[in-house]
Amino acid sequence: MADAAGRLSKLAEEVLGAPLPVRIRAWDRSEYGPPGAPTLVIRNRRALRRLLFKPGELGLARAWVAGEIDVEGDLYEALDLLSGLVWERGTAAGKPQRAAALRALAKPEIRAAARDLVALAGIPVPPKPPAEEAPKSHGPLHTLRRDKEAISHHYDVGNDFYELVLGPSMVYSCAYWEGPDATLEDAQRDKLDLICRKLGLKEGERLLDVGCGWGSMALHAAREYGVRVVGITLSEEQAAYGRKRVAEAGLADRVEIRVQDYREVHDEPFDAISSIGMAEHVGRARYAEYADDLYALLKPGGRLLNHQIARRPLADEDAYHVDEFIDRYVFPDGELAPVGRTVGQLEDAGFEVRDVEAIREHYALTLRAWVANLEAHWKEAVRLTTPGRARVWRLYMAASALSFERNRIGVNQVLAVRTPDSGASGLPLRAREWRG
């Protein structure tokens, strides 16, 4: 079993058709690969068995979460080097990687490599998935029950854990960075204030905050703009935390935090609606209903600010599938859509879309700040959750930062109005007056 690292590197080169750009250190202490490059540490042969029984992203994710593989050196550099070879390889015009993998298996040298991998892996028994993996859901997507379960998997992991990662702002969406010297707290405050200005909030108005998280937007809008806010979330832990913050701020007469789905809100009309980082959970099958419901909840002339992550469009949209790692470990049932589809569906519901601002670079900065927070408080984060859960968050946030930087995904603030029959939108003639 000596020189497992060298054998694995050569196997990878056979399969990928290119030299592995990272160094490998195996469980037998052997090392192989370019000096000075980030090192992929394979601590246990169990990681290979995971890849044999679940080739691709999910097998790698399970090994990472279980602590069977790790990275020494710059995690961002390692992920960037590997992404073109592992995650994007074999994908063109929306076609999944599986077809390319099946073609590769037809080659004799690849079959020989696979036999060598089996020999390295040891006992041919599929390892049990890590406890942090969400069970595969069945039945129709995005029912009230299934959405609540998905939200609970991601958000009900402990408010103390999120405090370590997010910092005092407790805002879990893309911040807005005004300059290189801004702190994460500055950037999150500026984001919330920008949204309030885009919505044109005025004292005494009613705001519905859909997916209110831990109440940060509701608190900011009530405190700084004098509005009355209804915040809704499907997370019991978020709601309890938000209500405590509201009480401590002395704003219980202006802010109400509910555990409620947007489909269950019936106390309209609202003067404005904010939906910040929530629509990614709605799903393609329900998005028209989401847009229709928010339109109905607004009074004529009311504004919607929809802040949402977007993916790049595909030549064949039917080929879109959610990354297995994200679906099983991060956001079960989450779906991304191109920004053009989002705008079109809001218009189909009756909205007049007045402004679209792309801020993807801001999300990369935000995610890097969250990763830095997590790494700085690693031992405490592990104690508050589990080692596997902390590893999930570190990997998904670092990989997401790179995805935003490389324009694989983006994030957009879409401002829309329920324009009345008179045509008076209520918006200023000068575009983006909210800039100040």
Side-chain angles (χ1 to χ4, degrees):
M1 197 56 64
D3 194 28
R7 293 171 66 186
L8 286 171
S9 294
K10 291 173 183 176
L11 286 173
E13 186 170 340
E14 288 282 359
V15 173
L16 299 172
L20 203 61
V22 297
R23 193 168 178 81
I24 288 183
R25 182 188 307 137
W27 59 91
D28 64 352
R29 299 185 180 181
S30 61
E31 293 192 32
Y32 189 92
T39 300
L40 182 65
V41 181
I42 305 174
R43 294 197 173 109
N44 194 300
R45 288 190 295 169
R46 193 180 301 111
L48 305 185
R49 294 201 289 276
R50 292 191 190 279
L51 283 171
L52 283 171
F53 286 97
K54 202 66 178 178
E57 185 174 343
L58 186 56
L60 284 169
R62 286 172 171 170
W64 172 272
V65 176
E68 295 155 2
I69 61 173
D70 204 347
V71 168
E72 284 186 6
D74 190 316
L75 177 60
Y76 295 102
E77 183 184 358
L79 292 173
D80 209 20
L81 289 169
L82 290 169
S83 65
L85 290 175
V86 179
W87 287 280
E88 295 171 13
R89 185 174 178 79
T91 301
K95 294 180 181 179
Q97 296 176 341
R98 188 166 298 172
L102 290 173
R103 289 195 299 272
L105 285 173
K107 300 177 181 179
E109 64 270 23
I110 300 298
R111 290 201 301 270
R115 286 193 294 271
D116 203 8
L117 183 61
V118 171
L120 276 171
I123 304 170
V125 176
K128 185 179 179 181
E132 292 80 7
E133 182 170 318
K136 191 168 181 62
S137 299
H138 300 283
L141 281 168
H142 302 295
T143 60
L144 293 173
R145 177 195 58 78
R146 185 160 166 173
D147 278 355
K148 188 173 178 63
E149 289 175 354
I151 293 297
S152 178
H153 174 83
H154 186 77
Y155 293 102
D156 291 345
V157 298
N159 294 325
D160 291 343
F161 172 79
Y162 276 106
E163 284 181 338
L164 292 180
V165 176
L166 305 180
S169 72
M170 289 300 283
V171 180
Y172 193 25
S173 55
C174 176
Y176 197 84
W177 300 80
E178 295 283 6
D181 297 327
T183 66
L184 177 60
E185 289 306 299
D186 292 335
Q188 290 293 14
R189 182 197 61 242
D190 289 343
K191 185 270 298 295
L192 296 176
D193 205 64
L194 176 63
I195 290 173
C196 290
R197 296 198 305 274
K198 286 182 176 183
L199 289 172
L201 298 180
K202 299 179 183 64
E203 188 167 356
E205 290 185 334
R206 281 185 92 215
L207 168 68
L208 174 64
D209 187 28
V210 181
C212 67
W214 294 271
S216 298
M217 174 64 184
L219 285 164
H220 185 87
R223 183 175 56 244
E224 303 297 330
Y225 290 84
V227 297
R228 292 172 292 125
V229 188
V230 173
I232 59 173
T233 175
L234 295 181
S235 167
E236 298 282 354
E237 290 193 19
Q238 283 187 334
Y241 189 98
R243 288 166 185 155
K244 184 174 182 289
R245 294 176 76 194
V246 168
E248 290 173 347
L251 291 170
D253 59 330
R254 292 187 190 176
V255 179
E256 179 187 2
I257 304 292
R258 304 174 184 169
V259 177
Q260 191 174 39
D261 190 278
Y262 68 91
R263 289 163 283 191
E264 299 173 311
V265 178
H266 301 297
D267 51 333
E268 65 274 10
F270 291 90
D271 298 281
I273 298 176
S274 54
S275 178
I276 309 169
M278 175 271 172
E280 298 87 341
H281 298 287
V282 171
R284 175 161 47 180
R286 295 284 186 178
Y287 206 92
E289 179 184 3
Y290 164 81
D292 288 342
D293 285 354
L294 297 194
Y295 184 86
L297 289 168
L298 273 175
K299 73 173 189 180
R303 302 183 193 181
L304 164 69
L305 192 289
N306 190 78
H307 175 119
Q308 181 176 345
I309 297 172
R311 60 174 171 82
R312 303 294 298 166
L314 300 174
D316 177 9
E317 281 292 323
D318 289 335
Y320 170 67
H321 64 282
V322 180
D323 293 340
E324 287 185 298
F325 168 59
I326 296 295
D327 190 47
R328 292 294 187 93
Y329 286 96
V330 187
F331 294 111
D333 295 341
E335 297 178 67
L336 301 182
V339 64
R341 178 185 293 167
T342 297
V343 168
Q345 289 187 292
L346 290 174
E347 289 183 324
D348 288 343
F351 283 105
E352 179 187 6
V353 173
R354 296 298 301 248
D355 186 78
V356 179
E357 183 175 7
I359 56 173
R360 69 174 173 83
E361 293 89 350
H362 294 253
Y363 219 157
L365 292 170
T366 305
L367 284 155
R368 282 181 177 264
W370 289 342
V371 171
N373 282 347
L374 177 60
E375 291 177 340
H377 300 94
W378 184 258
K379 289 183 179 179
E380 182 71 2
V382 168
R383 184 185 69 80
L384 290 170
T385 54
T386 65
R389 182 68 64 192
R391 291 172 65 81
V392 166
W393 257 246
R394 182 171 180 244
L395 177 61
Y396 113 75
M397 291 192 299
S400 295
L402 289 171
S403 292
F404 283 106
E405 289 168 356
R406 301 294 183 260
N407 191 29
R408 298 181 189 120
I409 53 177
V411 61
N412 305 279
Q413 288 189 353
V414 179
L415 179 66
V417 182
R418 179 176 172 171
T419 305
D421 293 341
S422 68
S425 69
L427 281 153
L429 290 173
R430 184 179 177 85
R432 296 187 174 177
E433 188 178 77
W434 46 80
R435 288 276 176 252

